[in-house]
Amino acid sequence: MPTPTRKHARSRRDKRRANWRLSIPAIVSCPQCARPVLAHHACLACGYYRGRQVITVRSKDSAKA
Ligand SMILES: [Zn+2]
């Protein structure tokens, strides 16, 4: 693998590192129970994902499951 021809200056290195950010987790509200859930994850409160029940939730407010 080729190596860089020139050393990057400290300022250049530090400018690159200064633009690093943590990404905020994508939170959406569950269409089934309207609670906040992580996007692309099954809802932990009601167990629904893409309009159907995918996990069984044992809690008092989802007694219908
Ligand atoms: Zn839900």
Side-chain angles (χ1 to χ4, degrees):
M1 191 167 167
T3 48
T5 21
R6 293 182 81 95
K7 175 186 178 174
H8 282 189
R10 268 169 292 182
S11 65
R12 197 169 161 173
R13 178 203 65 196
D14 294 348
K15 270 188 265 182
R16 179 180 67 236
R17 292 182 185 175
N19 285 309
W20 184 87
R21 293 283 185 282
L22 268 178
S23 58
I24 308 151
I27 295 170
V28 295
S29 67
C30 175
Q32 197 70 30
C33 66
R35 281 190 179 87
V37 278
L38 287 170
H40 316 289
H41 285 252
C43 177
L44 293 173
C46 65
Y48 270 71
Y49 187 70
R50 293 184 68 183
R52 63 188 189 93
Q53 187 125 38
V54 288
I55 50 168
T56 314
V57 184
R58 282 170 295 152
S59 71
K60 43 200 174 294
D61 48 17
S62 62
K64 59 183 191 300

Short mmCIF file of all heavy atoms in Angstrom, two decimals:
data_model
loop_
_atom_site.label_atom_id
_atom_site.label_comp_id
_atom_site.label_asym_id
_atom_site.label_seq_id
_atom_site.Cartn_x
_atom_site.Cartn_y
_atom_site.Cartn_z
N MET A 1 0.84 -1.19 0.00
CA MET A 1 0.00 0.00 0.00
C MET A 1 0.88 1.25 0.00
O MET A 1 1.84 1.34 0.77
CB MET A 1 -0.89 -0.01 1.24
CG MET A 1 -1.98 1.04 1.19
SD MET A 1 -3.21 0.79 2.45
CE MET A 1 -4.05 2.35 2.36
N PRO A 2 0.60 2.23 -0.88
CA PRO A 2 1.45 3.42 -0.92
C PRO A 2 1.33 4.26 0.33
O PRO A 2 0.28 4.30 0.97
CB PRO A 2 0.97 4.17 -2.16
CG PRO A 2 -0.38 3.65 -2.43
CD PRO A 2 -0.46 2.28 -1.88
N THR A 3 2.41 4.92 0.65
CA THR A 3 2.43 5.79 1.83
C THR A 3 2.28 7.24 1.37
O THR A 3 2.61 7.56 0.22
CB THR A 3 3.75 5.62 2.59
OG1 THR A 3 4.81 5.70 1.66
CG2 THR A 3 3.79 4.30 3.32
N PRO A 4 1.84 8.13 2.23
CA PRO A 4 1.71 9.54 1.85
C PRO A 4 3.08 10.14 1.51
O PRO A 4 4.07 9.85 2.19
CB PRO A 4 1.11 10.20 3.08
CG PRO A 4 0.50 9.11 3.86
CD PRO A 4 1.30 7.88 3.58
N THR A 5 3.13 10.94 0.45
CA THR A 5 4.40 11.52 0.03
C THR A 5 4.89 12.59 0.99
O THR A 5 6.10 12.77 1.15
CB THR A 5 4.28 12.15 -1.38
OG1 THR A 5 2.91 12.42 -1.64
CG2 THR A 5 4.82 11.22 -2.42
N ARG A 6 3.96 13.32 1.57
CA ARG A 6 4.37 14.40 2.46
C ARG A 6 3.68 14.27 3.80
O ARG A 6 2.56 13.77 3.90
CB ARG A 6 3.99 15.75 1.85
CG ARG A 6 4.74 16.11 0.59
CD ARG A 6 4.31 17.47 0.11
NE ARG A 6 4.99 18.51 0.85
CZ ARG A 6 6.11 19.10 0.40
NH1 ARG A 6 6.65 18.73 -0.73
NH2 ARG A 6 6.69 20.05 1.08
N LYS A 7 4.36 14.77 4.81
CA LYS A 7 3.76 14.82 6.14
C LYS A 7 2.74 15.97 6.17
O LYS A 7 3.02 17.06 5.65
CB LYS A 7 4.86 15.09 7.16
CG LYS A 7 4.35 15.28 8.57
CD LYS A 7 5.48 15.69 9.50
CE LYS A 7 4.93 15.93 10.90
NZ LYS A 7 6.02 16.18 11.85
N HIS A 8 1.56 15.69 6.74
CA HIS A 8 0.58 16.76 6.91
C HIS A 8 0.95 17.59 8.12
O HIS A 8 1.35 17.05 9.15
CB HIS A 8 -0.82 16.16 7.11
CG HIS A 8 -1.45 15.70 5.83
ND1 HIS A 8 -2.75 15.30 5.75
CD2 HIS A 8 -0.95 15.58 4.59
CE1 HIS A 8 -3.02 14.97 4.51
NE2 HIS A 8 -1.96 15.11 3.78
N ALA A 9 0.81 18.87 7.98
CA ALA A 9 1.12 19.78 9.08
C ALA A 9 0.17 19.56 10.25
O ALA A 9 -0.95 19.06 10.06
CB ALA A 9 1.04 21.22 8.59
N ARG A 10 0.61 19.93 11.42
CA ARG A 10 -0.23 19.76 12.62
C ARG A 10 -1.57 20.48 12.46
O ARG A 10 -2.61 19.97 12.86
CB ARG A 10 0.49 20.31 13.85
CG ARG A 10 1.29 19.27 14.58
CD ARG A 10 2.17 19.92 15.61
NE ARG A 10 3.21 20.71 14.95
CZ ARG A 10 4.16 21.38 15.59
NH1 ARG A 10 4.21 21.40 16.89
NH2 ARG A 10 5.06 22.06 14.92
N SER A 11 -1.52 21.68 11.87
CA SER A 11 -2.76 22.45 11.71
C SER A 11 -3.74 21.70 10.80
O SER A 11 -4.93 21.65 11.07
CB SER A 11 -2.46 23.83 11.14
OG SER A 11 -1.94 23.71 9.84
N ARG A 12 -3.21 21.10 9.75
CA ARG A 12 -4.06 20.35 8.81
C ARG A 12 -4.67 19.13 9.49
O ARG A 12 -5.86 18.85 9.35
CB ARG A 12 -3.19 19.93 7.63
CG ARG A 12 -4.00 19.51 6.44
CD ARG A 12 -3.13 19.37 5.24
NE ARG A 12 -3.84 18.55 4.26
CZ ARG A 12 -3.41 18.33 3.04
NH1 ARG A 12 -2.27 18.85 2.63
NH2 ARG A 12 -4.10 17.60 2.22
N ARG A 13 -3.84 18.42 10.24
CA ARG A 13 -4.32 17.26 10.99
C ARG A 13 -5.40 17.68 12.00
O ARG A 13 -6.45 17.07 12.10
CB ARG A 13 -3.13 16.62 11.72
CG ARG A 13 -3.48 15.43 12.58
CD ARG A 13 -2.43 15.21 13.66
NE ARG A 13 -2.41 16.33 14.60
CZ ARG A 13 -1.40 16.56 15.45
NH1 ARG A 13 -0.33 15.79 15.45
NH2 ARG A 13 -1.45 17.57 16.29
N ASP A 14 -5.13 18.76 12.72
CA ASP A 14 -6.05 19.19 13.76
C ASP A 14 -7.35 19.75 13.18
O ASP A 14 -8.42 19.58 13.78
CB ASP A 14 -5.38 20.23 14.66
CG ASP A 14 -4.22 19.62 15.45
OD1 ASP A 14 -4.10 18.37 15.46
OD2 ASP A 14 -3.45 20.38 16.05
N LYS A 15 -7.27 20.37 12.00
CA LYS A 15 -8.49 20.87 11.36
C LYS A 15 -9.38 19.70 10.95
O LYS A 15 -10.60 19.77 11.05
CB LYS A 15 -8.15 21.71 10.13
CG LYS A 15 -7.97 23.19 10.45
CD LYS A 15 -7.83 24.01 9.20
CE LYS A 15 -6.37 24.21 8.86
NZ LYS A 15 -6.15 25.03 7.68
N ARG A 16 -8.76 18.61 10.49
CA ARG A 16 -9.52 17.42 10.12
C ARG A 16 -10.22 16.85 11.36
O ARG A 16 -11.39 16.53 11.33
CB ARG A 16 -8.58 16.38 9.51
CG ARG A 16 -9.29 15.10 9.11
CD ARG A 16 -8.34 14.09 8.50
NE ARG A 16 -7.39 13.59 9.47
CZ ARG A 16 -6.05 13.64 9.33
NH1 ARG A 16 -5.52 14.19 8.26
NH2 ARG A 16 -5.26 13.16 10.24
N ARG A 17 -9.47 16.75 12.45
CA ARG A 17 -10.04 16.16 13.67
C ARG A 17 -11.08 17.06 14.32
O ARG A 17 -11.95 16.57 15.05
CB ARG A 17 -8.92 15.88 14.66
CG ARG A 17 -8.02 14.76 14.16
CD ARG A 17 -6.94 14.44 15.15
NE ARG A 17 -6.03 13.46 14.57
CZ ARG A 17 -4.93 13.04 15.16
NH1 ARG A 17 -4.58 13.52 16.34
NH2 ARG A 17 -4.17 12.15 14.58
N ALA A 18 -11.02 18.35 14.06
CA ALA A 18 -11.97 19.28 14.67
C ALA A 18 -13.38 19.11 14.12
O ALA A 18 -14.35 19.51 14.76
CB ALA A 18 -11.51 20.72 14.45
N ASN A 19 -13.50 18.50 12.92
CA ASN A 19 -14.81 18.35 12.31
C ASN A 19 -15.52 17.06 12.70
O ASN A 19 -16.58 16.77 12.20
CB ASN A 19 -14.69 18.42 10.78
CG ASN A 19 -14.46 19.84 10.32
OD1 ASN A 19 -15.19 20.74 10.71
ND2 ASN A 19 -13.43 20.04 9.54
N TRP A 20 -14.89 16.29 13.60
CA TRP A 20 -15.49 15.04 14.03
C TRP A 20 -16.65 15.32 14.98
O TRP A 20 -16.54 16.15 15.88
CB TRP A 20 -14.44 14.18 14.74
CG TRP A 20 -14.92 12.86 15.13
CD1 TRP A 20 -14.94 11.73 14.37
CD2 TRP A 20 -15.46 12.49 16.41
NE1 TRP A 20 -15.45 10.69 15.10
CE2 TRP A 20 -15.78 11.12 16.33
CE3 TRP A 20 -15.70 13.18 17.59
CZ2 TRP A 20 -16.34 10.44 17.41
CZ3 TRP A 20 -16.26 12.49 18.65
CH2 TRP A 20 -16.57 11.14 18.55
N ARG A 21 -17.79 14.66 14.74
CA ARG A 21 -18.96 14.83 15.59
C ARG A 21 -19.58 13.48 15.89
O ARG A 21 -19.57 12.60 15.04
CB ARG A 21 -20.02 15.69 14.91
CG ARG A 21 -19.64 17.14 14.68
CD ARG A 21 -19.74 17.97 15.95
NE ARG A 21 -19.48 19.37 15.66
CZ ARG A 21 -18.27 19.88 15.49
NH1 ARG A 21 -17.20 19.10 15.55
NH2 ARG A 21 -18.12 21.15 15.23
N LEU A 22 -20.14 13.39 17.08
CA LEU A 22 -20.96 12.23 17.41
C LEU A 22 -22.29 12.40 16.70
O LEU A 22 -22.82 13.51 16.64
CB LEU A 22 -21.23 12.16 18.92
CG LEU A 22 -20.28 11.36 19.80
CD1 LEU A 22 -20.73 11.49 21.24
CD2 LEU A 22 -20.25 9.92 19.40
N SER A 23 -22.83 11.31 16.15
CA SER A 23 -24.14 11.42 15.52
C SER A 23 -25.23 11.16 16.54
O SER A 23 -25.12 10.27 17.40
CB SER A 23 -24.25 10.46 14.34
OG SER A 23 -24.03 9.15 14.78
N ILE A 24 -26.28 11.96 16.46
CA ILE A 24 -27.40 11.83 17.38
C ILE A 24 -28.22 10.62 16.95
O ILE A 24 -28.49 10.46 15.76
CB ILE A 24 -28.27 13.12 17.35
CG1 ILE A 24 -27.39 14.35 17.57
CG2 ILE A 24 -29.37 13.08 18.39
CD1 ILE A 24 -27.91 15.60 16.90
N PRO A 25 -28.62 9.72 17.86
CA PRO A 25 -29.42 8.57 17.45
C PRO A 25 -30.77 8.98 16.87
O PRO A 25 -31.42 9.90 17.39
CB PRO A 25 -29.59 7.76 18.74
CG PRO A 25 -29.22 8.68 19.84
CD PRO A 25 -28.26 9.66 19.28
N ALA A 26 -31.14 8.34 15.76
CA ALA A 26 -32.40 8.68 15.08
C ALA A 26 -33.57 8.14 15.89
O ALA A 26 -33.72 6.94 16.04
CB ALA A 26 -32.39 8.10 13.68
N ILE A 27 -34.34 9.05 16.45
CA ILE A 27 -35.49 8.65 17.27
C ILE A 27 -36.77 9.08 16.56
O ILE A 27 -36.92 10.23 16.18
CB ILE A 27 -35.39 9.24 18.69
CG1 ILE A 27 -34.18 8.63 19.41
CG2 ILE A 27 -36.66 8.97 19.49
CD1 ILE A 27 -33.83 9.31 20.71
N VAL A 28 -37.67 8.13 16.36
CA VAL A 28 -38.97 8.41 15.76
C VAL A 28 -40.05 7.99 16.75
O VAL A 28 -39.76 7.30 17.73
CB VAL A 28 -39.16 7.65 14.41
CG1 VAL A 28 -38.17 8.15 13.37
CG2 VAL A 28 -39.02 6.16 14.60
N SER A 29 -41.28 8.42 16.51
CA SER A 29 -42.34 8.00 17.41
C SER A 29 -43.03 6.78 16.83
O SER A 29 -43.27 6.69 15.62
CB SER A 29 -43.33 9.14 17.66
OG SER A 29 -44.01 9.43 16.47
N CYS A 30 -43.34 5.82 17.68
CA CYS A 30 -43.96 4.56 17.26
C CYS A 30 -45.36 4.83 16.69
O CYS A 30 -46.16 5.50 17.33
CB CYS A 30 -44.05 3.63 18.46
SG CYS A 30 -44.92 2.11 18.14
N PRO A 31 -45.66 4.34 15.47
CA PRO A 31 -47.01 4.55 14.93
C PRO A 31 -48.09 3.79 15.69
O PRO A 31 -49.28 4.12 15.59
CB PRO A 31 -46.90 4.06 13.48
CG PRO A 31 -45.73 3.16 13.48
CD PRO A 31 -44.80 3.62 14.55
N GLN A 32 -47.69 2.79 16.44
CA GLN A 32 -48.65 1.96 17.18
C GLN A 32 -49.02 2.58 18.52
O GLN A 32 -50.18 2.67 18.88
CB GLN A 32 -48.05 0.57 17.37
CG GLN A 32 -49.06 -0.50 17.74
CD GLN A 32 -49.99 -0.84 16.59
OE1 GLN A 32 -49.62 -0.73 15.44
NE2 GLN A 32 -51.20 -1.26 16.91
N CYS A 33 -47.99 2.99 19.28
CA CYS A 33 -48.27 3.48 20.63
C CYS A 33 -47.76 4.90 20.85
O CYS A 33 -47.91 5.43 21.94
CB CYS A 33 -47.64 2.54 21.66
SG CYS A 33 -45.85 2.51 21.63
N ALA A 34 -47.15 5.52 19.82
CA ALA A 34 -46.70 6.91 19.84
C ALA A 34 -45.57 7.18 20.82
O ALA A 34 -45.26 8.33 21.10
CB ALA A 34 -47.86 7.87 20.07
N ARG A 35 -44.94 6.15 21.32
CA ARG A 35 -43.80 6.36 22.21
C ARG A 35 -42.55 6.57 21.35
O ARG A 35 -42.48 6.09 20.23
CB ARG A 35 -43.59 5.13 23.11
CG ARG A 35 -44.55 5.07 24.28
CD ARG A 35 -44.09 3.98 25.21
NE ARG A 35 -44.94 3.86 26.38
CZ ARG A 35 -46.05 3.12 26.42
NH1 ARG A 35 -46.42 2.43 25.35
NH2 ARG A 35 -46.76 3.04 27.51
N PRO A 36 -41.53 7.27 21.88
CA PRO A 36 -40.29 7.42 21.10
C PRO A 36 -39.51 6.11 21.03
O PRO A 36 -39.30 5.45 22.04
CB PRO A 36 -39.51 8.49 21.87
CG PRO A 36 -40.09 8.51 23.23
CD PRO A 36 -41.52 8.08 23.10
N VAL A 37 -39.16 5.72 19.81
CA VAL A 37 -38.38 4.50 19.58
C VAL A 37 -37.22 4.80 18.64
O VAL A 37 -37.27 5.75 17.86
CB VAL A 37 -39.23 3.34 18.99
CG1 VAL A 37 -40.01 2.63 20.05
CG2 VAL A 37 -40.12 3.83 17.88
N LEU A 38 -36.18 4.00 18.70
CA LEU A 38 -35.06 4.12 17.77
C LEU A 38 -35.54 3.73 16.38
O LEU A 38 -36.25 2.72 16.23
CB LEU A 38 -33.91 3.21 18.20
CG LEU A 38 -33.10 3.64 19.42
CD1 LEU A 38 -32.17 2.52 19.85
CD2 LEU A 38 -32.31 4.88 19.12
N ALA A 39 -35.14 4.51 15.38
CA ALA A 39 -35.54 4.21 14.01
C ALA A 39 -34.95 2.87 13.57
O ALA A 39 -33.85 2.51 13.97
CB ALA A 39 -35.05 5.32 13.08
N HIS A 40 -35.69 2.11 12.77
CA HIS A 40 -35.31 0.78 12.26
C HIS A 40 -35.17 -0.25 13.37
O HIS A 40 -34.43 -1.23 13.23
CB HIS A 40 -34.02 0.85 11.42
CG HIS A 40 -33.99 1.99 10.46
ND1 HIS A 40 -34.78 2.03 9.34
CD2 HIS A 40 -33.30 3.15 10.48
CE1 HIS A 40 -34.54 3.17 8.70
NE2 HIS A 40 -33.67 3.87 9.37
N HIS A 41 -35.87 -0.01 14.48
CA HIS A 41 -35.86 -0.96 15.59
C HIS A 41 -37.30 -1.26 15.96
O HIS A 41 -38.17 -0.40 15.82
CB HIS A 41 -35.15 -0.37 16.82
CG HIS A 41 -33.66 -0.32 16.69
ND1 HIS A 41 -32.83 -1.15 17.39
CD2 HIS A 41 -32.87 0.46 15.93
CE1 HIS A 41 -31.58 -0.88 17.06
NE2 HIS A 41 -31.57 0.10 16.18
N ALA A 42 -37.53 -2.47 16.46
CA ALA A 42 -38.86 -2.81 16.95
C ALA A 42 -39.13 -2.00 18.21
O ALA A 42 -38.23 -1.73 18.99
CB ALA A 42 -38.95 -4.30 17.25
N CYS A 43 -40.38 -1.58 18.38
CA CYS A 43 -40.76 -0.79 19.55
C CYS A 43 -40.69 -1.66 20.79
O CYS A 43 -41.29 -2.74 20.83
CB CYS A 43 -42.16 -0.22 19.35
SG CYS A 43 -42.73 0.71 20.77
N LEU A 44 -39.98 -1.19 21.81
CA LEU A 44 -39.83 -1.98 23.02
C LEU A 44 -41.06 -1.89 23.91
O LEU A 44 -41.26 -2.72 24.79
CB LEU A 44 -38.59 -1.53 23.80
CG LEU A 44 -37.24 -1.81 23.12
CD1 LEU A 44 -36.11 -1.16 23.89
CD2 LEU A 44 -37.00 -3.30 22.95
N ALA A 45 -41.89 -0.89 23.68
CA ALA A 45 -43.07 -0.72 24.51
C ALA A 45 -44.23 -1.60 24.05
O ALA A 45 -44.92 -2.20 24.86
CB ALA A 45 -43.49 0.75 24.51
N CYS A 46 -44.44 -1.71 22.72
CA CYS A 46 -45.57 -2.50 22.22
C CYS A 46 -45.11 -3.68 21.36
O CYS A 46 -45.92 -4.52 21.00
CB CYS A 46 -46.54 -1.61 21.45
SG CYS A 46 -45.87 -0.91 19.93
N GLY A 47 -43.83 -3.74 21.00
CA GLY A 47 -43.33 -4.88 20.24
C GLY A 47 -43.64 -4.85 18.77
O GLY A 47 -43.47 -5.85 18.07
N TYR A 48 -44.09 -3.70 18.24
CA TYR A 48 -44.46 -3.62 16.83
C TYR A 48 -43.30 -3.13 15.98
O TYR A 48 -42.50 -2.32 16.41
CB TYR A 48 -45.66 -2.67 16.66
CG TYR A 48 -46.98 -3.39 16.77
CD1 TYR A 48 -47.42 -3.87 18.01
CD2 TYR A 48 -47.77 -3.60 15.65
CE1 TYR A 48 -48.63 -4.53 18.11
CE2 TYR A 48 -48.98 -4.26 15.75
CZ TYR A 48 -49.41 -4.73 16.98
OH TYR A 48 -50.60 -5.39 17.08
N TYR A 49 -43.22 -3.65 14.80
CA TYR A 49 -42.30 -3.15 13.79
C TYR A 49 -42.93 -3.34 12.43
O TYR A 49 -43.40 -4.42 12.10
CB TYR A 49 -40.95 -3.87 13.86
CG TYR A 49 -39.91 -3.26 12.93
CD1 TYR A 49 -39.38 -2.00 13.22
CD2 TYR A 49 -39.50 -3.91 11.79
CE1 TYR A 49 -38.47 -1.41 12.37
CE2 TYR A 49 -38.57 -3.33 10.92
CZ TYR A 49 -38.06 -2.08 11.22
OH TYR A 49 -37.16 -1.50 10.39
N ARG A 50 -42.98 -2.28 11.64
CA ARG A 50 -43.59 -2.24 10.31
C ARG A 50 -45.02 -2.77 10.33
O ARG A 50 -45.42 -3.60 9.50
CB ARG A 50 -42.75 -3.00 9.28
CG ARG A 50 -41.42 -2.31 9.03
CD ARG A 50 -40.63 -2.99 7.95
NE ARG A 50 -41.25 -2.83 6.65
CZ ARG A 50 -40.80 -3.39 5.53
NH1 ARG A 50 -39.72 -4.13 5.57
NH2 ARG A 50 -41.41 -3.22 4.40
N GLY A 51 -45.78 -2.32 11.32
CA GLY A 51 -47.21 -2.61 11.36
C GLY A 51 -47.61 -3.97 11.88
O GLY A 51 -48.78 -4.31 11.85
N ARG A 52 -46.65 -4.77 12.35
CA ARG A 52 -47.04 -6.05 12.94
C ARG A 52 -46.21 -6.32 14.18
O ARG A 52 -45.12 -5.78 14.35
CB ARG A 52 -46.90 -7.20 11.93
CG ARG A 52 -45.48 -7.44 11.47
CD ARG A 52 -45.41 -8.44 10.35
NE ARG A 52 -44.01 -8.79 10.10
CZ ARG A 52 -43.42 -9.83 10.68
NH1 ARG A 52 -44.09 -10.63 11.48
NH2 ARG A 52 -42.15 -10.08 10.43
N GLN A 53 -46.78 -7.21 15.04
CA GLN A 53 -46.10 -7.54 16.29
C GLN A 53 -44.93 -8.48 15.99
O GLN A 53 -45.10 -9.53 15.39
CB GLN A 53 -47.08 -8.21 17.24
CG GLN A 53 -46.49 -8.44 18.61
CD GLN A 53 -47.34 -7.83 19.70
OE1 GLN A 53 -48.55 -7.87 19.62
NE2 GLN A 53 -46.72 -7.29 20.71
N VAL A 54 -43.75 -8.09 16.40
CA VAL A 54 -42.58 -8.93 16.14
C VAL A 54 -41.97 -9.47 17.43
O VAL A 54 -41.27 -10.48 17.40
CB VAL A 54 -41.50 -8.19 15.30
CG1 VAL A 54 -41.96 -8.02 13.87
CG2 VAL A 54 -41.14 -6.85 15.89
N ILE A 55 -42.19 -8.80 18.55
CA ILE A 55 -41.70 -9.33 19.83
C ILE A 55 -42.83 -9.29 20.85
O ILE A 55 -43.72 -8.43 20.79
CB ILE A 55 -40.46 -8.55 20.36
CG1 ILE A 55 -40.67 -7.03 20.35
CG2 ILE A 55 -39.19 -8.95 19.61
CD1 ILE A 55 -39.61 -6.26 21.11
N THR A 56 -42.82 -10.25 21.74
CA THR A 56 -43.83 -10.30 22.79
C THR A 56 -43.36 -9.46 23.97
O THR A 56 -42.25 -9.64 24.46
CB THR A 56 -44.05 -11.76 23.26
OG1 THR A 56 -44.15 -12.56 22.09
CG2 THR A 56 -45.30 -11.89 24.07
N VAL A 57 -44.20 -8.52 24.36
CA VAL A 57 -43.86 -7.61 25.45
C VAL A 57 -44.70 -7.98 26.65
O VAL A 57 -45.93 -8.09 26.54
CB VAL A 57 -44.08 -6.14 25.04
CG1 VAL A 57 -43.63 -5.19 26.14
CG2 VAL A 57 -43.34 -5.83 23.75
N ARG A 58 -44.04 -8.19 27.76
CA ARG A 58 -44.77 -8.48 28.99
C ARG A 58 -44.79 -7.22 29.84
O ARG A 58 -43.85 -6.92 30.56
CB ARG A 58 -44.10 -9.61 29.77
CG ARG A 58 -44.40 -10.99 29.19
CD ARG A 58 -43.52 -12.03 29.85
NE ARG A 58 -42.12 -11.79 29.52
CZ ARG A 58 -41.10 -12.14 30.32
NH1 ARG A 58 -41.33 -12.73 31.46
NH2 ARG A 58 -39.87 -11.89 29.96
N SER A 59 -45.86 -6.42 29.70
CA SER A 59 -46.01 -5.24 30.55
C SER A 59 -47.48 -4.96 30.75
O SER A 59 -48.34 -5.50 30.04
CB SER A 59 -45.30 -4.02 29.93
OG SER A 59 -46.01 -3.59 28.81
N LYS A 60 -47.79 -4.08 31.71
CA LYS A 60 -49.17 -3.86 32.09
C LYS A 60 -49.99 -3.12 31.04
O LYS A 60 -51.16 -3.40 30.86
CB LYS A 60 -49.23 -3.11 33.43
CG LYS A 60 -48.23 -1.96 33.55
CD LYS A 60 -48.02 -1.60 35.01
CE LYS A 60 -46.93 -0.56 35.20
NZ LYS A 60 -45.60 -1.06 34.83
N ASP A 61 -49.35 -2.21 30.27
CA ASP A 61 -50.14 -1.43 29.32
C ASP A 61 -50.24 -2.05 27.92
O ASP A 61 -50.82 -1.46 27.04
CB ASP A 61 -49.63 0.02 29.25
CG ASP A 61 -48.12 0.10 29.10
OD1 ASP A 61 -47.51 -0.91 28.73
OD2 ASP A 61 -47.57 1.17 29.37
N SER A 62 -49.68 -3.24 27.71
CA SER A 62 -49.91 -3.93 26.45
C SER A 62 -50.51 -5.30 26.74
O SER A 62 -50.01 -6.33 26.30
CB SER A 62 -48.63 -4.04 25.64
OG SER A 62 -47.67 -4.78 26.34
N ALA A 63 -51.60 -5.29 27.51
CA ALA A 63 -52.24 -6.54 27.94
C ALA A 63 -52.91 -7.27 26.78
O ALA A 63 -53.15 -8.47 26.85
CB ALA A 63 -53.26 -6.24 29.04
N LYS A 64 -53.20 -6.55 25.69
CA LYS A 64 -53.85 -7.16 24.54
C LYS A 64 -52.93 -8.13 23.79
O LYS A 64 -53.40 -8.98 23.05
CB LYS A 64 -54.36 -6.07 23.58
CG LYS A 64 -53.26 -5.16 23.07
CD LYS A 64 -53.85 -4.08 22.19
CE LYS A 64 -52.86 -3.27 21.43
NZ LYS A 64 -51.87 -2.51 22.03
N ALA A 65 -51.65 -8.02 24.00
CA ALA A 65 -50.69 -8.87 23.30
C ALA A 65 -50.68 -10.31 23.81
O ALA A 65 -50.92 -10.57 24.96
CB ALA A 65 -49.29 -8.28 23.40
ZN ZN B 1 -44.91 1.02 20.15
#
